[in-house]
Coordinates of all heavy atoms in Angstrom, one line a residue:
M113 N 30.7 58.1 129.7 CA 30.1 57.9 128.4 C 28.6 57.8 128.5 O 28.0 57.8 129.6 CB 30.7 56.6 127.8 CG 32.2 56.6 127.6 SD 32.7 55.1 126.7 CE 32.4 53.8 127.9
G114 N 27.9 57.8 127.3 CA 26.5 57.8 127.3 C 25.9 56.5 127.9 O 24.7 56.6 128.4
N115 N 26.6 55.4 127.9 CA 26.0 54.2 128.5 C 26.2 54.0 130.0 O 25.9 53.0 130.5 CB 26.6 52.9 127.8 CG 28.1 52.9 127.9 OD1 28.7 53.8 128.5 ND2 28.7 51.9 127.2
G116 N 26.7 55.1 130.6 CA 26.9 55.1 132.0 C 28.2 54.6 132.5 O 28.5 54.7 133.7
R117 N 29.1 54.1 131.6 CA 30.4 53.7 132.0 C 31.4 54.8 131.9 O 31.1 55.9 131.4 CB 30.9 52.5 131.1 CG 30.0 51.3 131.2 CD 30.5 50.2 130.3 NE 29.7 48.9 130.5 CZ 30.0 47.8 129.8 NH1 30.9 47.8 128.9 NH2 29.2 46.8 130.0
F118 N 32.6 54.6 132.5 CA 33.6 55.7 132.6 C 34.9 55.2 131.9 O 35.2 54.1 131.8 CB 33.9 55.9 134.1 CG 32.7 56.5 134.8 CD1 31.8 55.6 135.4 CD2 32.5 57.8 135.0 CE1 30.7 56.1 136.1 CE2 31.4 58.3 135.7 CZ 30.5 57.4 136.3
L119 N 35.6 56.2 131.3 CA 36.9 56.1 130.8 C 37.9 56.9 131.6 O 37.6 58.0 131.9 CB 36.9 56.5 129.3 CG 36.0 55.7 128.3 CD1 36.2 56.3 126.9 CD2 36.5 54.3 128.3
Y120 N 39.0 56.3 131.8 CA 40.1 56.9 132.6 C 41.4 56.7 131.7 O 41.8 55.6 131.4 CB 40.3 56.2 133.9 CG 39.1 56.2 134.8 CD1 38.2 55.1 134.7 CD2 38.8 57.2 135.7 CE1 37.1 55.0 135.5 CE2 37.6 57.1 136.5 CZ 36.8 56.0 136.3 OH 35.7 56.0 137.1
S121 N 42.0 57.9 131.4 CA 43.2 57.8 130.6 C 44.4 58.4 131.4 O 44.2 59.3 132.2 CB 43.0 58.6 129.3 OG 42.7 60.0 129.5
F122 N 45.6 57.9 131.1 CA 46.8 58.3 131.8 C 48.0 58.4 130.8 O 48.0 57.6 129.8 CB 47.2 57.3 132.9 CG 46.1 57.2 133.9 CD1 45.2 56.1 133.8 CD2 46.0 58.0 135.0 CE1 44.1 56.0 134.7 CE2 45.0 57.8 136.0 CZ 44.0 56.8 135.8
R123 N 48.9 59.3 131.0 CA 50.1 59.4 130.2 C 51.3 59.6 131.1 O 51.4 60.5 131.9 CB 50.0 60.6 129.2 CG 51.2 60.8 128.3 CD 51.1 62.0 127.5 NE 52.3 62.2 126.7 CZ 52.4 61.7 125.4 NH1 51.4 61.1 124.9 NH2 53.5 61.9 124.7
D124 N 52.2 58.6 131.0 CA 53.4 58.7 131.8 C 54.5 59.3 130.9 O 54.9 58.8 129.9 CB 53.8 57.3 132.2 CG 55.0 57.2 133.2 OD1 55.8 58.2 133.2 OD2 55.0 56.3 134.0
S125 N 55.1 60.4 131.4 CA 56.1 61.1 130.6 C 57.3 60.3 130.4 O 58.0 60.3 129.3 CB 56.4 62.5 131.3 OG 55.3 63.3 131.4
W126 N 57.7 59.6 131.4 CA 59.0 58.8 131.3 C 58.8 57.6 130.3 O 59.6 57.4 129.5 CB 59.3 58.2 132.7 CG 60.6 57.5 132.7 CD1 61.9 58.0 132.8 CD2 60.8 56.1 132.5 NE1 62.8 57.0 132.7 CE2 62.2 55.8 132.5 CE3 60.0 55.0 132.2 CZ2 62.7 54.5 132.4 CZ3 60.5 53.7 132.1 CH2 61.8 53.5 132.2
K127 N 57.6 56.9 130.4 CA 57.3 55.9 129.4 C 57.2 56.4 128.0 O 57.6 55.7 127.0 CB 56.1 55.1 129.9 CG 56.3 54.3 131.1 CD 55.1 53.5 131.4 CE 55.3 52.6 132.7 NZ 54.1 51.8 133.0
A128 N 56.6 57.6 127.9 CA 56.4 58.1 126.5 C 57.8 58.4 125.9 O 58.0 58.1 124.7 CB 55.6 59.4 126.6
Q129 N 58.7 58.9 126.7 CA 60.1 59.2 126.2 C 60.8 57.9 125.9 O 61.5 57.8 124.9 CB 60.9 60.0 127.2 CG 62.2 60.5 126.7 CD 62.1 61.4 125.5 OE1 61.2 62.2 125.4 NE2 63.1 61.2 124.6
A130 N 60.6 56.8 126.7 CA 61.2 55.6 126.4 C 60.7 54.9 125.1 O 61.5 54.4 124.4 CB 60.9 54.6 127.6
E131 N 59.4 55.0 124.9 CA 58.8 54.5 123.6 C 59.3 55.3 122.4 O 59.6 54.7 121.4 CB 57.3 54.5 123.7 CG 56.7 53.5 124.7 CD 55.2 53.4 124.6 OE1 54.7 53.6 123.4 OE2 54.5 53.2 125.6
D132 N 59.5 56.6 122.6 CA 60.0 57.4 121.5 C 61.4 57.0 121.2 O 61.8 56.9 120.0 CB 59.9 58.9 121.9 CG 60.2 59.8 120.7 OD1 61.4 60.1 120.5 OD2 59.2 60.2 120.0
N133 N 62.2 56.8 122.2 CA 63.6 56.4 122.0 C 63.7 55.1 121.4 O 64.6 54.8 120.5 CB 64.4 56.4 123.3 CG 64.5 57.8 123.9 OD1 64.4 58.8 123.2 ND2 64.7 57.9 125.2
S134 N 62.8 54.2 121.8 CA 62.8 52.8 121.1 C 62.5 52.9 119.7 O 63.1 52.2 118.8 CB 61.8 52.0 121.9 OG 61.7 50.7 121.3
F135 N 61.5 53.8 119.3 CA 61.2 53.9 117.9 C 62.4 54.5 117.1 O 62.7 54.1 116.0 CB 60.0 54.9 117.7 CG 59.6 55.2 116.3 CD1 58.8 54.3 115.6 CD2 60.0 56.4 115.8 CE1 58.5 54.6 114.3 CE2 59.7 56.7 114.5 CZ 58.9 55.8 113.7
M136 N 63.1 55.5 117.7 CA 64.2 56.1 117.0 C 65.4 55.1 116.9 O 66.1 55.1 115.8 CB 64.7 57.3 117.8 CG 63.7 58.5 117.7 SD 63.4 59.0 116.0 CE 65.0 59.4 115.5
D137 N 65.5 54.2 117.8 CA 66.6 53.2 117.7 C 66.3 52.2 116.6 O 67.2 51.8 115.8 CB 66.7 52.4 119.0 CG 67.3 53.3 120.1 OD1 67.9 54.3 119.8 OD2 67.1 53.0 121.3
R138 N 65.0 51.9 116.4 CA 64.7 51.0 115.3 C 64.8 51.7 113.9 O 65.2 51.1 113.0 CB 63.2 50.5 115.5 CG 63.0 49.6 116.6 CD 61.6 48.9 116.5 NE 60.5 49.8 116.5 CZ 59.9 50.3 117.5 NH1 60.2 49.9 118.7 NH2 58.9 51.2 117.4
Q139 N 64.5 53.0 113.9 CA 64.7 53.7 112.6 C 66.1 53.9 112.3 O 66.5 53.8 111.1 CB 64.0 55.1 112.8 CG 62.5 55.0 112.9 CD 61.8 54.4 111.8 OE1 62.1 54.7 110.6 NE2 60.9 53.4 112.1
R140 N 67.0 54.0 113.3 CA 68.4 54.2 112.9 C 69.0 52.9 112.4 O 70.0 52.9 111.6 CB 69.2 54.6 114.2 CG 68.9 56.0 114.6 CD 69.9 56.4 115.7 NE 69.9 55.5 116.9 CZ 70.8 55.5 117.8 NH1 71.8 56.3 117.8 NH2 70.6 54.6 118.8
R141 N 68.4 51.8 112.7 CA 68.9 50.5 112.2 C 68.3 50.1 110.9 O 68.8 49.2 110.2 CB 68.7 49.4 113.2 CG 69.5 49.5 114.5 CD 69.3 48.2 115.3 NE 68.0 48.0 115.8 CZ 67.5 48.4 117.0 NH1 68.4 49.1 117.8 NH2 66.3 48.2 117.4
S142 N 67.3 50.9 110.4 CA 66.6 50.6 109.2 C 67.2 51.5 108.1 O 68.0 52.4 108.3 CB 65.1 50.8 109.3 OG 64.8 52.2 109.6
D143 N 66.8 51.3 106.9 CA 67.3 52.1 105.7 C 66.6 53.4 105.5 O 67.2 54.3 105.0 CB 67.2 51.2 104.4 CG 68.0 50.0 104.5 OD1 69.0 50.0 105.3 OD2 67.6 49.0 103.8
S144 N 65.3 53.5 106.0 CA 64.6 54.8 105.7 C 63.8 55.1 107.0 O 63.6 54.3 107.9 CB 63.6 54.6 104.6 OG 62.7 53.6 104.8
Y145 N 63.4 56.4 107.1 CA 62.6 56.9 108.2 C 61.1 56.8 107.9 O 60.7 57.4 106.9 CB 63.1 58.3 108.5 CG 62.3 58.9 109.7 CD1 62.6 58.6 111.0 CD2 61.3 59.9 109.4 CE1 61.9 59.2 112.0 CE2 60.6 60.5 110.4 CZ 60.9 60.1 111.8 OH 60.2 60.7 112.8

């Protein structure tokens, strides 16, 4: 960044799929998507 600090980002494919499945499980128990 401009202030001299650094940003580091990561994406875990397995955790992304697990969060997506968790969202879908909550939507299936609700009345609307």
Side-chain angles (χ1 to χ4, degrees):
M113 297 187 294
N115 57 3
R117 295 181 179 180
F118 296 86
L119 293 179
Y120 306 89
S121 61
F122 304 91
R123 180 185 179 91
D124 190 330
S125 300
W126 185 86
K127 290 184 178 180
Q129 186 63 37
E131 291 188 32
D132 190 277
N133 294 338
S134 178
F135 175 83
M136 291 302 301
D137 291 340
R138 291 194 303 269
Q139 295 299 311
R140 288 190 303 167
R141 292 190 294 267
S142 62
D143 297 334
S144 60
Y145 178 75

